[in-house]
Amino acid sequence: MAKLYFFYGAMNSGKTTRILQCEYNYNEQGMRAVIMKPMIDTKGNEKIVSRIGSSKKVDYLIKNDENIFDLIVSEYNHVDLILVDEAQFLTRKQVNQLMDIVIDLDIPVMCYGLRTDFKGNGFPGSTRLLEIAHELTEIKTICECGKKAMFNVRLIDGKVITEGESVAIDGVGKISYTVACSKCFRLKTRQKFDHEDKVTKKI
Ligand SMILES: [Zn+2]
């Protein structure tokens, strides 16, 4: 039976590189894999871009209100694997639709995404995936202190930010991100909580 997989991690953990490798392996075996991602991510537009330089145009951009089950039935019914990048941006309903694809169409679905936003809170898509995916795999990356990085820290002009919308895409404007272990995340963000008013004014 097909399964719903969720590969999760902090930013820069190599998720996109794994997607590209996985698609390559399927194609080499004569099977068809499709790569999708939610439209909300503007990084690279229709491309998925890995940190080590390789990139590829995605096969489909998922709209926010799109029924992915209906889409697969009508357009991609003969695929062997569905790969979803930036799966944290899916809605809970869309993750349920992915589960229906796995159960009713017997197509495996591999989702890749962030576990939490820059405040340490779960995204709707990743939270639902953590709840219902058959297989959960953490993709590990390293904090500057050497421990496992679990969190994403948002920076504006190099300064740590603890307020704002959960979705702000890396590389747009002056926003950037770094990763941190739990201890460094607390140290970095609490430091700024103490100066919250000043930081808010600067934005
Ligand atoms: Zn650390």
Side-chain angles (χ1 to χ4, degrees):
M1 194 196 110
K3 287 182 181 175
L4 176 60
Y5 301 82
F6 185 35
F7 298 85
Y8 64 92
M11 300 178 101
N12 304 328
S13 56
K15 292 184 287 297
T16 305
T17 305
R18 283 172 181 245
I19 291 174
L20 295 171
Q21 181 67 48
C22 191
E23 193 218 20
Y24 179 84
N25 292 346
Y26 260 68
N27 289 342
E28 201 175 41
Q29 298 298 325
M31 294 189 280
R32 187 178 173 213
V34 293
I35 301 178
M36 303 185 165
K37 72 170 184 175
M39 201 172 260
I40 196 165
D41 172 36
T42 58
K43 181 176 60 180
N45 300 315
E46 291 191 2
K47 285 183 176 176
I48 56 171
V49 182
S50 79
R51 306 274 166 171
I52 59 168
S54 48
S55 70
K56 186 187 179 294
K57 191 172 177 292
V58 298
D59 297 295
Y60 193 82
L61 286 172
I62 304 162
K63 297 172 204 70
N64 193 41
D65 57 352
E66 183 140 34
N67 185 316
I68 308 175
F69 182 85
D70 290 348
L71 170 80
I72 297 300
V73 167
S74 60
E75 307 283 337
Y76 294 99
N77 205 0
H78 298 292
V79 299
D80 298 296
L81 174 68
I82 296 166
L83 296 157
V84 184
D85 195 16
E86 309 285 3
Q88 71 273 10
F89 295 136
L90 296 169
T91 64
R92 290 178 66 87
K93 208 191 275 186
Q94 287 173 327
V95 174
N96 293 340
Q97 291 158 8
L98 294 178
M99 186 58 122
D100 287 345
I101 291 167
V102 168
I103 296 169
D104 296 338
L105 308 179
D106 203 27
I107 300 170
V109 179
M110 292 185 174
C111 296
Y112 294 76
L114 302 175
R115 186 182 184 181
T116 52
D117 68 10
F118 75 104
K119 296 174 187 170
N121 299 322
F123 288 94
S126 25
T127 301
R128 189 60 182 147
L129 281 161
L130 289 167
E131 288 167 355
I132 67 168
H134 295 98
E135 302 269 347
L136 297 172
T137 305
E138 183 172 24
I139 303 177
K140 295 181 177 69
T141 190
I142 298 170
C143 177
E144 61 189 14
C145 74
K147 294 197 188 77
K148 181 181 81 175
M150 291 172 60
F151 294 95
N152 306 296
V153 179
R154 181 180 289 175
L155 307 164
I156 295 183
D157 291 333
K159 294 193 177 70
V160 175
I161 297 298
T162 57
E163 294 295 323
E165 292 298 313
S166 144
V167 181
I169 305 300
D170 187 12
V172 176
K174 292 169 184 171
I175 294 174
S176 62
Y177 291 91
T178 186
V179 296
C181 71
S182 52
K183 190 175 180 182
C184 292
F185 181 77
R186 195 177 65 178
L187 285 172
K188 287 182 186 201
T189 53
R190 183 179 285 179
Q191 209 176 358
K192 285 299 171 188
F193 283 138
D194 293 338
H195 303 283
E196 198 174 346
D197 289 343
K198 284 181 194 169
V199 173
T200 306
K201 278 175 195 163
K202 278 178 193 166
I203 301 169

